[in-house]
């Protein structure tokens, strides 16, 4: 935790003290208690007197449920301890055992937590050496060793920083002219996170956030700033696409075909290939007759033109998923009329902090008080991660599977139904059109940005059912009614199931990833590695999407650390370049466990469809596992799961066999 121990450089100590005193009035008491433990090393702050009550819902629970006089006692003690730190006193807690971290979490959140969460918290607090940034002394690199990273989004930025801090030569290939990936590309009105940005950020790069849930511009600015601050831009080749990657079995490296925006092509060699293209990479267009014939503006939310003006226009929106739920309330006050074409209904949870700014006093604490933001993050991680996981398990004895999967899920349904009714106000006639007929969380649970209030407006029309065709002037429903519009907004999301679909990937023997996944769909061990594709890692791969909650940034950090941990061990074991490939039986057993777990969970509930499942009916997007379990598996970094060979020991004829197979396939192709 050395990165955040230097006191802020404020000259007027008295003014800073006064600002701190005022800010502490708005402090989160459970977080302050943890700050006190760190600064004083006194475990009195973990005694029963300061035991916080359980967090309800997704509220910050600022009082901790403690009596007012106890809250003030904590504020006063924190004021003294923080001022002592500012005046030069070092934090007294030098080390923290796993048990101490677990006790701290339990006091802070008001309930017992699994041991895996204390391990995750310790890593987030900087207590796990494997997550330290500076790892240069840990890697023994052979001459010429090189890594290629595909994509400069969240995973690509994290990979680049970890590689650079480990002294490993690398290059990042990015198709756009800037970092950010999804956040650079998606610029539609209302675009933002539905995860608190204090955990939708890197553990090693704190930020002074203006909102609790940031909009696109602030998030994009954060990732751009991180790339600049950590000096990785010089390693990124912007405006360049990866066309294909082919594994060279004889030399145990990848040949990566790239093309710049000017048409210049090149082949890069990589001892390790990291795919950071993610799930939300390729926009999905609806298959509607006549889509190209429309004479007005027709845009996908992921390709929003900067000069698109919807003011006074008749606008149609196709879809009602996450992007639609953001863009519709954002533009409704500008348009003349809004027509929403809804194929299926969506659950959405109350979103009290939507657009809510972080008060200056709280920003001061998060920015300048040691350990405050770190512990605030840990509490958020608990609140937004696995707390509902148990409620998403099917109860075979539950008598009402048509509306819920267990008694907890039924309570969730009642709560969300009451909320929808309240939001519709006088328009209860719309209830049947918007109230889902499947259990809550059966599809991605959305955060309500004002969707239900918006569809209840007089200048908004909600159309249920299908679209038969699109004409030059508008859209025709499956009932034959035409709706004339000036602009069509396509909010149908991304081709998330066609993973690694933006480039051709050929592994051992020339087999493509499409061929490898042809029978069952996308599969990977831990969601990152596949048999037949040695020395290759795919971040945010199959069965890693967080359908039950959590931060994808934290997930990606864990996956990148896993790859780095394996790289470290493989280099040491082989004393140079290597071939690392997950064992087939290990891969298959893990994926069998995934589907068995999904069979017990909500996303395989009968009579319901979602984008998590492929054509074969397998859930390939979301994970069925708890965040802490998955994190612990990755942290173990077990080489026993892999075939590992020094590159020099590989058979020289393997490349020739691959070439012969490739030539045979070409000659027999129709």
């Amino acid at each position: 935790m050395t990165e955040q121990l230097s006191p802020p450089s404020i000259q007027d100590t008295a003014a800073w003290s006064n600002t701190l005193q005022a800010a502490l009035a708005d402090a989160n008491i459970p977080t302050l208690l943890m700050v006190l433990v760190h600064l004083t090393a006194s475990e009195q702050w973990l005694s029963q007197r300061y035991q916080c009550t359980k967090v309800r819902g997704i509220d910050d629970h600022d009082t901790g449920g403690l009596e007012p006089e106890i809250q003030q006692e904590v504020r006063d003690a924190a004021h003294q301890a923080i001022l002592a730190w500012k005046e030069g006193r070092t934090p007294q807690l030098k080390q923290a055992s796993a048990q101490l971290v677990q006790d701290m979490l339990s006091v802070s959140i008001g309930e017992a937590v699994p041991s895996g969460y204390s391990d995750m918290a310790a890593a987030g607090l900087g207590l796990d050496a494997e997550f330290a940034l500076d790892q240069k002394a840990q890697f023994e690199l052979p001459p010429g060793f090189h890594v290629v990273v595909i994509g400069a989004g969240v995973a690509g930025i994290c990979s680049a920083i970890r590689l650079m801090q480990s002294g490993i030569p690398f290059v990042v290939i990015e198709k756009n002219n800037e970092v950010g990936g999804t956040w650079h590309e998606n610029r539609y009105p209302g675009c933002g996170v539905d995860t608190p940005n204090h955990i939708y950020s890197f553990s090693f790069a704190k930020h002074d956030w203006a909102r609790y849930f940031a909009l696109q511009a602030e998030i994009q600015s954060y990732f751009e700033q991180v790339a600049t601050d950590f000096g990785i831009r010089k390693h990124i080749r912007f405006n360049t696409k990866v066309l294909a990657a082919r594994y060279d079995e004889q030399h145990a490296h990848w040949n990566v075909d790239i093309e710049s925006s000017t048409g210049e092509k090149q082949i890069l060699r990589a001892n390790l290939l990291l795919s950071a293209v993610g799930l939300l990479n390729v926009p999905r267009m609806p298959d509607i007759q006549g889509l190209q014939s429309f004479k007005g503006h027709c845009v996908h939310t992921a390709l929003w033109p900067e000069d698109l003006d919807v003011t006074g226009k008749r606008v149609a929106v196709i879809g009602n998923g996450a992007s639609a739920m953001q863009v519709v309330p954002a533009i409704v006050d500008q348009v003349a009329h809004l027509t929403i074409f809804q194929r299926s209904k969506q659950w959405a949870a109350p979103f009290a902090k939507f657009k809510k700014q972080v008060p200056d006093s709280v920003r001061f604490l998060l920015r300048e008080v040691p350990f405050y933001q770190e512990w605030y993050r840990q509490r958020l991680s608990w609140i937004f991660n696995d707390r509902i996981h148990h409620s998403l398990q099917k109860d075979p004895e539950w008598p009402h599977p048509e509306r819920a999967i267990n008694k907890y899920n039924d309570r969730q349904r009642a709560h969300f139904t009451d909320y929808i009714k309240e939001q519709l106000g006088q328009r209860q006639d719309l209830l049947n059109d918007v109230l889902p007929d499947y259990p809550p969380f059966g599809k991605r649970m959305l955060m309500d940005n004002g969707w239900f209030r918006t569809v209840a407006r007089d200048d908004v029309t909600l159309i249920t059912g299908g679209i038969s065709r699109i004409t030059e002037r508008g859209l025709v429903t499956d009932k034959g009614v035409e709706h004339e519009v000036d602009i069509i907004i396509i909010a149908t999301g991304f081709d998330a199931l066609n993973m690694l679909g933006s480039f051709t990937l050929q592994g051992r023997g020339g087999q493509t990833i499409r061929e490898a996944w042809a029978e069952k769909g996308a599969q990977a061990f831990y969601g990152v590695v596949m048999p037949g594709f040695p020395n290759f890692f795919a971040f945010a791969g199959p069965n890693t999407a967080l359908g039950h909650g959590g931060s994808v940034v934290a997930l990606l950090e864990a996956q990148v650390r896993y790859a780095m941990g394996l790289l470290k061990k493989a280099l040491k074991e082989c004393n140079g370049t290597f071939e690392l490939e997950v064992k087939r039986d290990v891969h298959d057993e893990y994926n069998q466990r995934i589907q068995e777990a999904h069979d017990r969970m909500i996303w395989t509930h009968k009579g319901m469809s979602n984008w998590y499942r492929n054509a074969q009916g397998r859930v390939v997007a979301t994970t069925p596992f708890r965040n802490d379990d998955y994190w612990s598996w990755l942290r173990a970094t077990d080489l026993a799961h892999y075939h590992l060979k020094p590159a020099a020991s590989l058979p020289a004829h393997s490349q020739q066999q691959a070439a012969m197979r490739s030539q045979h396939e070409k000659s027999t192709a129709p």
Side-chain angles (χ1 to χ4, degrees):
M1 293 184 283
T2 57
E3 290 86 357
Q4 50 84 64
L5 294 183
S6 299
S9 56
I10 296 179
Q11 300 301 319
D12 191 339
T13 303
W16 196 88
S17 175
N18 291 336
T19 302
L20 172 64
Q21 185 78 55
L24 288 172
D26 297 325
N28 180 270
I29 297 299
T31 300
L32 270 191
L33 284 167
M34 302 306 103
V35 171
L36 277 169
V37 175
H38 271 286
L39 294 182
T40 68
S42 173
E43 295 187 25
Q44 77 170 83
W45 304 109
L46 303 180
S47 67
Q48 187 60 39
R49 176 177 175 79
Y50 307 103
Q51 174 65 61
C52 300
T53 57
K54 185 176 180 179
V55 178
R56 301 293 179 183
I58 58 176
D59 185 71
D60 278 350
H61 196 36
D62 285 331
T63 68
L66 300 177
E67 295 297 325
E69 63 270 17
I70 299 178
Q71 295 179 45
Q72 192 57 47
E73 179 185 339
V74 173
R75 292 189 187 96
D76 292 342
H79 187 232
Q80 294 179 12
I82 295 166
L83 284 182
W85 162 80
K86 178 174 172 30
E87 292 169 358
R89 187 187 188 200
T90 60
Q92 298 300 292
L93 187 65
K94 306 302 181 184
Q95 292 182 330
S97 66
Q99 184 60 56
L100 179 58
V101 174
Q102 189 166 2
D103 291 344
M104 293 172 76
L105 271 174
S106 297
V107 169
S108 174
I109 64 175
E111 58 185 306
V113 297
S115 60
Y117 262 91
S118 63
D119 293 336
M120 289 172 60
L125 293 165
L127 299 173
D128 188 334
E130 275 294 303
F131 282 82
L133 282 186
D134 188 355
Q135 300 259 340
K136 291 184 178 66
Q138 303 296 316
F139 286 85
E140 303 171 14
L141 295 173
F145 191 88
H146 195 257
V147 178
V148 170
V149 181
I150 307 174
V154 178
I157 293 171
C158 184
S159 299
I161 292 171
R162 290 288 181 185
L163 288 165
M164 190 175 70
Q165 294 282 332
S166 299
I168 300 172
F170 71 97
V171 65
V172 180
I173 307 302
E174 170 55 49
K175 65 180 180 180
N176 295 316
N177 63 358
E178 183 53 272
V179 302
T182 295
W183 295 110
H184 172 72
E185 295 170 358
N186 286 265
R187 298 165 178 263
Y188 59 85
C191 180
V193 291
D194 54 10
T195 302
N197 32 255
H198 287 97
I199 57 174
Y200 196 92
S201 51
F202 296 121
S203 63
F204 51 79
K206 295 195 299 184
H207 186 64
D208 181 18
W209 294 100
R211 291 184 175 89
Y212 287 103
F213 290 80
L215 295 178
Q216 180 271 338
E218 189 178 8
I219 305 167
Q220 176 62 17
S221 176
Y222 167 76
F223 289 121
E224 290 180 15
Q225 191 62 49
V226 169
T228 299
D229 290 346
F230 282 89
I232 63 170
R233 289 185 177 277
K234 60 187 177 183
H235 297 280
I236 305 175
R237 296 180 63 164
F238 291 107
N239 299 307
T240 304
K241 292 183 179 180
V242 171
L243 303 177
R246 305 175 310 282
Y247 185 64
D248 181 334
E249 295 182 54
Q250 180 179 357
H251 301 100
H253 67 230
W254 287 88
N255 293 311
V256 184
D257 299 336
I258 64 173
E259 182 179 18
S260 70
S261 58
T262 60
E264 179 184 356
K265 294 184 178 181
Q266 186 180 355
I267 299 177
L268 304 180
R269 181 191 61 78
N271 299 96
L272 196 70
L273 180 62
L274 307 180
S275 170
V277 298
L279 284 176
L280 309 181
N281 181 257
V282 180
R284 181 178 61 197
M285 299 296 292
D287 184 16
I288 302 175
Q289 178 185 346
L291 182 61
Q292 303 301 321
S293 65
F294 181 64
K295 296 298 185 182
H297 290 288
C298 181
V299 300
H300 192 284
T301 52
L303 303 170
W304 194 275
E306 292 186 7
D307 60 349
L308 181 62
D309 185 5
V310 299
T311 304
K313 305 294 185 181
R314 299 168 300 172
V315 178
V317 177
I318 301 176
N320 68 326
S323 55
M325 194 158 285
Q326 291 183 338
V327 72
V328 164
I331 66 172
V332 67
D333 289 331
Q334 305 167 37
V335 304
H337 192 88
L338 196 61
T339 305
I340 303 167
F341 291 83
Q342 170 185 282
R343 186 176 62 177
S344 59
K345 307 168 188 177
Q346 301 281 3
W347 288 107
F351 197 2
K353 286 188 174 180
F354 175 56
K355 289 188 177 181
K356 186 175 181 180
Q357 293 191 342
V358 183
D360 289 343
S361 56
V362 176
R363 290 179 68 174
F364 175 87
L365 296 171
L366 289 163
R367 182 179 64 245
E368 305 207 31
V369 171
F371 308 110
Y372 191 93
Q373 184 168 155
E374 285 77 7
W375 272 104
Y376 182 71
R377 281 174 58 97
Q378 299 314 314
R379 297 188 75 252
L380 282 177
S381 294
W382 171 255
I383 293 169
F384 280 85
N385 273 6
D386 294 320
R387 298 181 75 210
I388 67 166
H389 187 266
H390 73 284
S391 70
L392 304 184
Q393 311 298 315
K394 298 175 186 173
D395 179 0
E397 304 300 321
W398 175 247
H400 304 292
E402 74 284 356
R403 73 183 191 215
I405 59 170
N406 56 46
K407 65 178 180 180
Y408 304 104
N409 191 235
D410 202 40
R411 292 172 190 167
Q412 292 166 336
R413 182 183 189 92
H415 171 69
F416 293 136
T417 299
D418 289 343
Y419 172 74
I420 293 173
K421 289 179 179 178
E422 183 269 329
Q423 291 292 297
L424 288 177
Q426 300 299 315
R427 293 297 310 273
Q428 296 300 309
D429 57 296
L430 291 173
L431 184 62
N432 288 337
D433 290 334
V434 300
L435 185 65
D437 52 5
Y438 57 87
F441 296 95
K443 300 183 181 183
R444 179 186 177 188
M445 177 58 73
L446 304 177
M447 303 295 282
D448 180 26
N449 293 1
W451 173 266
F452 299 110
R453 293 195 306 273
T454 300
V455 297
R457 291 174 50 143
D458 292 338
D459 53 356
V460 176
T461 301
L462 179 66
I463 305 295
T464 60
I467 301 171
S468 66
R469 68 184 189 279
I470 293 177
T471 67
E472 294 182 355
R473 300 176 300 177
L475 305 90
V476 180
T477 68
D478 52 8
K479 296 180 177 62
V481 179
E482 182 172 11
H483 296 265
E484 294 189 6
V485 296
D486 305 305
I487 298 172
I488 296 176
I489 298 172
I490 299 174
T492 50
F494 298 85
D495 188 8
L497 297 183
N498 188 27
M499 299 179 190
L500 301 176
S502 60
F503 64 99
T504 300
L505 182 68
Q506 288 182 290
R508 190 179 298 284
Q511 184 185 45
T512 67
I513 195 66
R514 301 271 77 80
E515 292 170 338
W517 287 345
E519 182 180 353
K520 296 182 178 180
Q523 296 185 98
F525 177 61
Y526 290 162
V528 293
V529 290
M530 296 78 70
F533 296 85
N535 297 7
F536 174 74
F537 290 82
F539 303 130
N543 295 111
T544 60
L546 299 170
H548 67 282
S551 165
V552 69
V553 179
L555 170 94
L556 292 171
E557 276 198 58
Q559 290 182 344
V560 172
R561 205 267 353 140
Y562 176 65
M564 296 295 291
L566 286 171
L567 172 59
K568 183 192 307 181
K569 290 184 175 182
L571 286 168
K572 187 174 182 179
E573 288 284 326
C574 295
N575 194 29
T577 55
F578 58 84
E579 179 178 86
L580 182 73
E581 181 178 2
V582 66
K583 296 175 180 177
R584 169 63 69 178
D585 60 334
V586 170
H587 169 275
D588 291 350
E589 188 275 334
Y590 177 77
N591 280 278
Q592 182 178 345
R593 281 200 292 133
I594 285 176
Q595 296 310 315
E596 289 173 352
H598 271 308
D599 287 343
R600 299 188 294 269
M601 291 191 72
I602 191 167
W603 299 301
T604 55
H605 190 62
K606 293 182 179 180
M608 184 183 67
S609 63
N610 53 51
W611 64 265
Y612 300 153
R613 283 190 281 181
N614 64 8
Q616 293 89 344
R618 294 178 67 257
V619 178
V620 299
T622 50
T623 176
F625 303 125
R626 291 173 54 94
N627 287 276
D628 57 332
D629 287 336
Y630 180 71
W631 186 93
S632 298
W633 299 336
L634 292 179
R635 176 61 181 81
T637 324
D638 192 350
L639 272 180
H641 295 148
Y642 291 83
H643 295 296
L644 176 62
K645 302 175 184 177
S649 68
L650 299 177
H653 64 278
S654 58
Q655 186 183 37
Q656 182 179 2
Q657 288 179 332
M660 291 175 62
R661 177 190 164 185
S662 177
Q663 185 61 40
H664 172 72
E665 290 174 346
K666 289 179 180 179
S667 65
T668 57

